[in-house]
Amino acid sequence: RVLTTRIYHLIREGVPAGEILAVTFTNKAAREMRDRVRVMLGDDGPVPFIATFHGLGRELLESYGEAIGIKRYFSVYDRDDSEKAIGAALKALDVGTKEFSPRAVLGRISKAKGTGMRPQEFYEKHARSGFGNRITAEAWLRYEKTLKEEKSLDFDDLIALPVQLLEEHEDIRALAQDRWRYIHIDEYQDTNELQEKLAVI
């Protein structure tokens, strides 16, 4: 309610809706926020970009992702898709899924992506530090190859890759900063390190 009221007053004071960004944690909350702003404005005018962190990441990649090799049209793996792809990678490595479950390996990969680590970096850092890490490193490389072949990303990529994009391309960072001049984040205290980077970079 606080954020939607602030957004309403900004627009009423003449701030263009397109310059306002609001980020929240769930699709439901984003939808409710959009609906509430629309009702408060009481007309058919434009509504600010209101989305989850993953929705913001997707928007950035669709708009500017070609700078890091991401085509505009990509699909997003859900958890089941990712586990199947990891399972196939483990099978190709001749590793039994009872010994290393796809879910557990995906969890390790997800945790590493959440710190901004990339597959080759993980491989170079951890492939020689124990059997489990080596399997994770090799499975991750195969998993990334599958994603690339299928022109797909996973949910973790929707945060990690936009951060990479904005860190590596100052011109795109300037475009994004110019596009959204008024940034609102719901439950800011709950952001993780990478989400915070995406918000403040």
Side-chain angles (χ1 to χ4, degrees), residues 3-4 7-8 11-12 15-22 29-51 179-180 182:
L3 294 190
T4 52
I7 289 167
Y8 168 77
I11 293 172
R12 282 291 173 240
V15 173
E19 292 184 6
I20 299 170
L21 167 68
R31 190 165 50 248
E32 287 175 356
M33 201 181 290
R34 275 193 299 272
D35 291 344
R36 190 173 289 176
V37 170
R38 195 172 282 116
V39 168
M40 289 173 81
L41 290 172
D43 56 36
D44 296 325
V47 172
F49 187 80
I50 301 172
R179 178 177 173 182
W180 293 304
Y182 301 85

Side-chain angles (χ1 to χ4, degrees), residues 7 61-62 70 114 121 126 144 168 172 174 189 193:
I7 289 167
L61 291 174
E62 287 179 346
I70 307 297
E121 183 186 356
H126 296 295
E144 289 299 319
E168 293 180 356
I172 293 171
Q189 72 277 5
E193 186 178 343

